[in-house]
Amino acid sequence: MNARYVVVFALICSALVSKSVGAKEPVSIESLLREMVDRDAVAHYPEQDFRLKQHSSYDRRSKSPDDSQGWFRNKDSNRNDTDTNLIRIEEIDGQKEWVLMDHEGPGAIVRTWMPWRQPNNPTTDIRIRIYLDGASEPALEGNMLELFNGNGLIPYPLAHGSLRSAVNFFPIPYAKSCKVTTDQHPFYFIFTFREYDEGTPVKTFTMEDFEAAKGLTKETGQKLLSPSVSGANAPLRLQATLASQEEKSLMLPAGVAAVRELSVKLGSYEDRDVTRQVVLKMEFDGKETVWCPIGDFFGSGIGFNPMQGWYRTVADDGTMSCRWVMPYQRGGKVSLQNLSGLPVDAELEVKTGDYLWDDRSMYFHAAWRGQYPVPTRPYSDWNYVTLKGRGVYVGDTLTVMNPTKVWWGEGDEKIWVDGEDFPSMFGTGTEDYYGYSWGGSSTDFYQHPFHAQPRAYRYNKLNRKTAEKEDNNLGYSVETRSRALDTMPFSSSLQLDMEVWAWKDCEMGYGVGAYWYGFADTTSNREPDPDEVRNVPPLPDAL
């Protein structure tokens, strides 16, 4: 082969390689379903960069934190035609349509939430329509609840009939635009969607593609309901009695690797405070990135409250496990510290596996904040965490102690990303954020791969509620949420606040474990707080 042909051949090969390296798979139903159950993907900053956005029925009188009265307005619904907690009302061919979401540009709906209109009536005659890419006919249409409660077109667990609400996680991608409407005033609603960078290739949802993906949809659901870990090495184990204030550790294998599964089991949970006062600590490449009580880390809250999710399981036998992928480059350490006043028997098991570190790999973080007492008047925003740098927020567990029977969780989440003037995520209630509704009546255990209420009042998985009309919100409530397609990337900052909005002037207890991935220079406003860990909010005398 002469020199000329060698040069031409080299140029062709170079072009093919460049095209292959630079090409990105279009966002589609299939790609998003695969991503939903890809834990390694969550540990990487998204290749197809996006920001999570939300359109909800929050009270439109909430405009600025500077207006303390308006900021905490609580009429988050549309109960009649005069309410306008939505985008607008259109009239098409003489028929009204209430517009709930209207987004221009490439994106994907990744979570929807809609409650029952009445707390004891799970039906509605409202029809919902989803128009994509400016089409005059909806790509998806159906009953507002039945479409998304797991009994209709979209199967469980991708869609879910939670406590008095319908929650959907099935992805609905679109290349140009998305408009969601109803044919009647829509009560409460939340539509959470990814906003992709302009030019991101997206394959718009069609019913043909939905049908073609049924096999993958079923497979994804099966994985979510039976979470397991593959590719892990033989476990590292620590079994010990931790004296009061004592800490013991497991060293991780040196070199590039990742924690694939981690579990903790205590000898006894008879003292409910033990899940708050035994702390999990993790260090990767010389930096401590996890400091969190085990109950708040695994989703049990204060006390032993079993539940199962995609990322975490609190098993009936007392084993608490997580399946977050936690990569590192050189080495790490996992520790348990007993901050209680008594010795604690504990077992710690860690499974690591191979990992390929690249420029999008991030470190796993978990931090905790607790406060008791928290006054409910005046209304306030309670900060979960504020992050600086670049990363992805992936979940949280909230434990509250309520000293009264009345409902405590009217507060809305408010999430600012990358220095926004107004939060791109403004919700409609604490229970709505955690995937259920009518919280004052929904004091029962429920679980789903991505959210759960492991405890409310006296009830958990081991002690289910039997009195349907019993409305009592005393004591501990535990709410937890993990994120897959609805993770929240940030490039400079993220601030997550939850309103403290109870129906009675009292003093509550709040504690939250928050989880995120970040790069080496990503920081948070949370520091270890042993004193507050010991300050466990006391239960009211009635319990």
Side-chain angles (χ1 to χ4, degrees), residues 160-165 435-438 442-446 453:
H160 174 44
S162 183
L163 293 179
R164 294 177 167 85
S165 63
Y436 64 110
S437 61
W438 295 101
S442 296
T443 51
D444 194 8
F445 166 85
Y446 89 94
Q453 180 171 255

Side-chain angles (χ1 to χ4, degrees), residues 262-338:
L262 182 153
S263 65
V264 173
K265 183 178 182 181
L266 303 186
S268 172
Y269 298 95
E270 184 175 354
D271 178 1
R272 62 175 174 266
D273 295 355
V274 74
T275 61
R276 173 60 52 88
Q277 295 182 338
V278 173
V279 173
L280 177 69
K281 302 168 67 174
M282 302 187 72
E283 178 183 303
F284 297 112
D285 294 343
K287 178 182 178 182
E288 184 174 274
T289 67
V290 172
W291 195 99
C292 190
I294 61 169
D296 304 85
F297 183 85
F298 291 104
S300 181
I302 295 176
F304 176 61
N305 301 297
M307 68 94 191
Q308 178 170 296
W310 171 240
Y311 285 104
R312 294 157 301 150
T313 298
V314 180
D316 293 358
D317 71 353
T319 303
M320 302 181 177
S321 58
C322 81
R323 294 167 290 275
W324 303 106
V325 174
M326 307 178 194
Y328 58 90
Q329 298 182 78
R330 298 185 301 278
K333 180 172 68 172
V334 181
S335 307
L336 290 176
Q337 184 178 19
N338 175 18

Side-chain angles (χ1 to χ4, degrees), residues 218 224 300 346 436 524 537:
K218 182 178 180 180
L224 291 173
S300 181
Y436 64 110
S524 83

